Amino acid sequence: MLETGTAAPAFALQDQNGTVHTLEEYRGKKVLLYFYSKDNTAGCTKQACAYTERMEQFRAKGVEVIGVSKDTVAAHKKFEEKHGLNFTLLADPEHTTLEAYDVWKEKKMCGKVGMGTVRTTYVIDENGVIVFANGKVKAADDAEKMLSVLE
């Protein structure tokens, strides 16, 4: 996990509609960048839906919410449509941004060891600096916790 006070790594990734987004385009805005494992899994769906339900509160604070996973653009589009998501989902199937943000790690699941995304949330300030980092994210509680962090 990257430390607070660190410059957030640049990225250029496609969203669920195929539009490329860069960190630079968000200069002057706060960005909540959250990394999750996989579209349409139980925890990731709870987390995304909780952000959708609270989106007006995030926007009122001037915060752009962006989710990132290794899923494809097409998978993100299906995820967005199935659950009525109202924020940007970025596709990183090559893991370049996941690695840059130090969230692509060795994980153990069901006795097997493999590489995967460690659920992590970052808040990046208007100048592109990480001002909050949470590597111990509970999916269902993340949106609510982040609202309190942003107070």
Side-chain angles (χ1 to χ4, degrees), residues 33-149:
L33 192 64
Y34 84 92
F35 293 89
Y36 66 100
S37 300
K38 188 159 177 51
D39 293 340
N40 287 307
T41 56
C44 296
T45 299
K46 283 180 188 171
Q47 187 177 21
C49 289
Y51 275 113
T52 292
E53 290 167 10
R54 293 165 180 81
M55 192 54 58
E56 286 187 31
Q57 292 170 274
F58 284 102
R59 290 194 175 130
K61 295 177 183 301
V63 177
E64 294 284 334
V65 175
I66 302 171
V68 183
S69 80
K70 65 181 175 70
D71 291 303
T72 63
V73 169
H76 280 344
K77 189 65 179 172
K78 288 178 186 170
F79 188 43
E80 172 197 44
E81 290 174 348
K82 182 175 181 180
H83 300 287
L85 304 179
N86 58 2
F87 59 92
T88 301
L89 299 172
L90 298 179
D92 188 17
E94 304 297 321
H95 318 136
T96 53
T97 300
L98 296 171
E99 290 175 25
Y101 279 82
D102 198 28
V103 299
W104 187 250
K105 302 269 191 188
E106 189 174 274
K107 294 170 69 173
K108 290 182 185 176
M109 281 190 73
C110 303
K112 293 183 180 182
V113 177
M115 296 299 287
T117 304
V118 175
R119 194 181 305 276
T120 306
T121 304
Y122 292 103
V123 175
I124 302 167
D125 74 7
E126 297 85 349
N127 298 310
V129 175
I130 296 170
V131 294
F132 181 82
N134 182 15
K136 301 207 183 291
V137 174
K138 292 187 176 156
D141 301 331
D142 192 38
E144 196 63 40
K145 177 176 181 165
M146 295 314 299
L147 281 170
S148 67
V149 164

